[in-house]
Amino acid sequence: MNIKKYIPANIALFIYGFENSWISPMSKILQSDQSPAGEPLSDYAISWIASVMCFAAVFGTSAYAYMADRFGRKIAVMALLYPQAISWALKLYPTIITLTLSRIFGGLAAGGCFNIVPMYVKEISQDSIRGTLGSLLILSQNLGVLFMYIIGAYLDYYTVQWSIIGIPIVTAILMLKAPEAPAYLVKVGKMDEAHATVAFLRGLDADDKRVLEEVDRMKKEEDTFQSLPKVELKSLFTDERWRRSVIIFLIAGTIHGWSGAYAIMVYALTLLTYASSDFVISPEVQSFSFPIVMICACLLLAVFIERVGRKRLLVAAYAASGISFGILATSLLTRDSGLVPGWLPLVAMIVNVFAYAGGVSSLTYIILTEVFNFQIRAKVMGTIVTYIWFLESLQLLIYAPISKIFGYSTLFYMFTIINFIGMTFVLIYVPETKGRSEEEVQRIIRGGRKNEL
């Protein structure tokens, strides 16, 4: 396996990791007396700047889904990088307006990152390694989070922005030599290019039997699809072939969107300052543990995903997330009693982000790409990922008011319940997709086979 073939697309998620975690180290700088914005930004302004990225992602997801089907997966990946570059350029002139615009551009790209990049990587990879490559996507994001936490803690505001702005520009140039997804080439009738691309990706000759068989399978799937009526968005909910699958993953998306870990990562520094006020290690240094743990979780996922399977790991991840939220909520509820050691909230948050990075987030998207065939994958993923982004934007908006009115413990007990609901739902309804074709997975969902753990 030549990993270099897959790196350029992953860099889009690496840059998203910067954008996603930018608000955590930068909020302290922007609210200081030496704020580069000219005056300290209020809590309300920071909250708005943080959440507007998710609102923009709602619109970006559908736009990139259309682009992937109309112009190809490769073009869609390249198109992620331009708004990312604009986002970092706008941050060089910090005002409430420019920072809001920068997060909007970053959000538009973010909306496509978890839609287009997993789709592209899945369609250029072999079935035997698609789980491993899918886990590397989340690893790329987490590396971005780690570097942002580090440079955000030790570099000044403008140095941080200048150090990142060139990455999407260079990556867009590298993507010019990246291959198009073979399934898309078959879809638009470019059979010779499809044979050549599969041969390149697999390290084989274009006339190798394995290449011919793989492209022939794609062609048969495309011919079958063309013989059927065109799939409209509403038919995903009315057609019996897809309705149950779409409903299952909309529910799974609801649980994912309200699982709570995303808010912890965005407001990491603020929460650590509150939860570990008596801990000897500073909150800034504590925050480094989050991306490091997330990276370790992704590496472990890459090792075990093809051995253990997707479903078992996702069930375990929701269980660990629920337990950690329960411990965190109880720790915060009793923090003034002196009975809770100062390190316990930090450990609970570390377990939570480990479960999120190594399971709740990554496995949800990996399974989603493996359930629907390539003809409708872009439409379904666009719909579900848009929905998830909308829920996560609401999660960020309610985080501050609920925590202030009812306390952190109430909010985290709510997340505890949601994660245990997620564990139960996955156990009962979500199929194991390891080593199975989309058709076989669909038969399991429709009741043709036992949905085993």
Side-chain angles (χ1 to χ4, degrees), residues 68-69 72-73 119-120 122-125 179-191 193-195 197-198 201-202 214-215 217-223 225-226 372-377 438:
D69 268 352
R73 291 13 176 180
M119 184 195 313
Y120 175 74
K122 193 269 181 189
E123 292 183 359
I124 67 174
S125 61
E180 178 56 271
Y184 177 78
L185 294 173
V186 171
K187 185 176 182 179
V188 296
K190 297 181 179 180
M191 301 304 297
E193 289 187 38
H195 282 96
T197 301
V198 171
L201 291 169
R202 309 294 179 255
E214 185 170 348
V215 176
R217 175 180 55 80
M218 295 178 191
K219 183 66 169 63
K220 288 179 180 178
E221 290 179 352
E222 175 64 20
D223 290 342
F225 175 73
Q226 292 297 334
F372 301 96
N373 65 34
F374 71 88
Q375 291 92 346
I376 66 167
R377 189 177 295 126
E438 293 92 346

Side-chain angles (χ1 to χ4, degrees), residues 13 60-66 68 80 109-121 365 368-369 377-386 389:
L13 275 169
T61 302
S62 57
Y64 280 104
Y66 170 80
L80 291 171
C113 278
F114 288 97
N115 182 8
I116 303 305
V117 178
M119 184 195 313
Y120 175 74
V121 171
Y365 289 109
L368 184 56
T369 65
R377 189 177 295 126
K379 192 180 298 293
V380 173
M381 289 191 67
T383 301
I384 295 177
V385 175
T386 297
W389 274 115

